Amino acid sequence: MLSRAGGGLKVILVTSCIPEEGKTTVSTNLAAAFAQDNKRVIIVEADMRRPRLAQVFEVPNELGLSNVLTGTATYDEATIRGVRVPTLDIMPAGPHPPNASELIGSAAFGELIELLRSTYDFVFIDSPPALLVTDPVLIYTKVDAAIWVSRVGVVTRSQLGRAKNMIERNRLPVIGFVVNRMRPRLAGYSYGYEYEYYGSYYGEKDSNGE
Ligand SMILES: Nc1ncnc2c1ncn2[C@@H]1O[C@H](COP(=O)(O)OP(=O)(O)O)[C@@H](O)[C@H]1O
Ligand SMILES: [Mg+2]
């Protein structure tokens, strides 16, 4: 991702099939990593039904995206600057609006993304769950790339099949899949295997006398 980021990927959607898979967690960690590299970064929490971003950064969710989209706050007022990292800003979801899908589909949302595109090096959009509501599709056309998060043991094969159809039908440019909350032992890997792998690697080097 970092190597392709130089090629103009700027607005990045972080999405998943259902709630609680780790979209906010992954958005936060990726955005913080980019900001620590001195990039100007913002996370916009577009999941207005289950806001959690403000809580992660221990700031209030009083003003946010829902205010900007309904015209009750400006981008400046709804943005919290320098959270943990000086170049990292966030726009929390804000108060729960009754018409979240409508707001995401509005011209105001498109305009906001264009404003952010010209202001930041990277814009992470923390999306609503793809399979439960209709608004994520409305975001797809506005982003340069997407990262699909899946929580192991919770999301089902059939939900992932539906996700695949959505990705293909909308030509969503997914640049990475995050397999979240994997427990290595359950997935058939073990620390022993890893240890053996590295052990033999170093063993080979030793036999070359290096
Ligand atoms: N890799 C992980 N390991 C442990 N807990 C995690 C991990 N990813 C997410 N969580 C926890 O799972 C819950 C849901 O994550 P969140 O990022 O809010 O999901 P979403 O935004 O998709 O609804 C949170 O309590 C979060 O701290
Ligand atoms: Mg979330």
Side-chain angles (χ1 to χ4, degrees):
M1 185 177 172
L2 276 165
S3 62
R4 286 186 59 184
L9 299 183
K10 185 170 253 206
V11 181
I12 299 160
L13 181 73
V14 178
T15 191
S16 75
C17 291
I18 54 176
E20 298 266 321
E21 290 201 80
K23 293 176 289 299
T24 299
T25 305
V26 169
S27 304
T28 301
N29 285 311
L30 281 176
F34 278 87
Q36 276 163 356
D37 193 30
N38 281 322
K39 301 286 189 287
R40 287 165 301 155
V41 186
I42 187 165
I43 312 169
V44 178
E45 187 176 39
D47 190 354
M48 292 183 277
R49 298 173 187 81
R50 293 187 86 261
R52 202 177 72 86
L53 188 63
Q55 192 189 320
V56 169
F57 288 97
E58 297 172 312
V59 295
N61 186 42
E62 268 161 37
L63 283 182
L65 179 65
S66 62
N67 299 96
V68 175
L69 299 183
T70 53
T72 51
T74 63
Y75 146 71
D76 266 320
E77 291 164 339
T79 300
I80 301 169
R81 293 174 198 284
V83 283
R84 307 264 170 90
V85 185
T87 54
L88 178 59
D89 295 353
I90 62 168
M91 184 183 292
H96 185 164
N99 53 343
S101 295
E102 212 175 288
L103 292 179
I104 293 292
S106 68
F109 188 64
E111 284 159 20
L112 174 67
I113 291 181
E114 289 319 305
L115 172 71
L116 300 179
R117 189 186 276 285
S118 63
T119 309
Y120 291 89
D121 294 316
F122 293 100
V123 178
F124 285 92
I125 301 180
D126 181 3
S127 139
L131 301 188
L132 297 195
V133 289
T134 54
D135 28 318
V137 175
L138 305 170
I139 308 178
Y140 289 0
T141 54
K142 300 180 171 79
V143 303
D144 303 326
I147 293 167
W148 201 289
V149 180
S150 291
R151 179 170 171 183
V152 171
V154 174
V155 69
T156 66
R157 193 174 286 263
S158 103
Q159 285 169 331
L160 287 170
R162 285 170 61 200
K164 182 170 178 282
N165 288 339
M166 275 182 85
I167 291 167
E168 287 171 356
R169 201 167 50 237
N170 297 287
R171 295 197 171 82
L172 180 67
V174 177
I175 55 168
F177 289 87
V178 174
V179 178
N180 195 23
R181 304 188 78 156
M182 189 172 89
R183 295 164 69 186
R185 279 168 202 279
L186 290 181
Y189 298 99
S190 77
Y191 298 113
Y193 173 81
E194 243 169 68
Y195 182 77
E196 260 172 48
Y197 176 81
Y198 288 113
S200 64
Y201 180 73
Y202 287 119
E204 261 171 44
K205 278 196 133 185
D206 282 342
S207 68
N208 290 338
E210 287 170 21

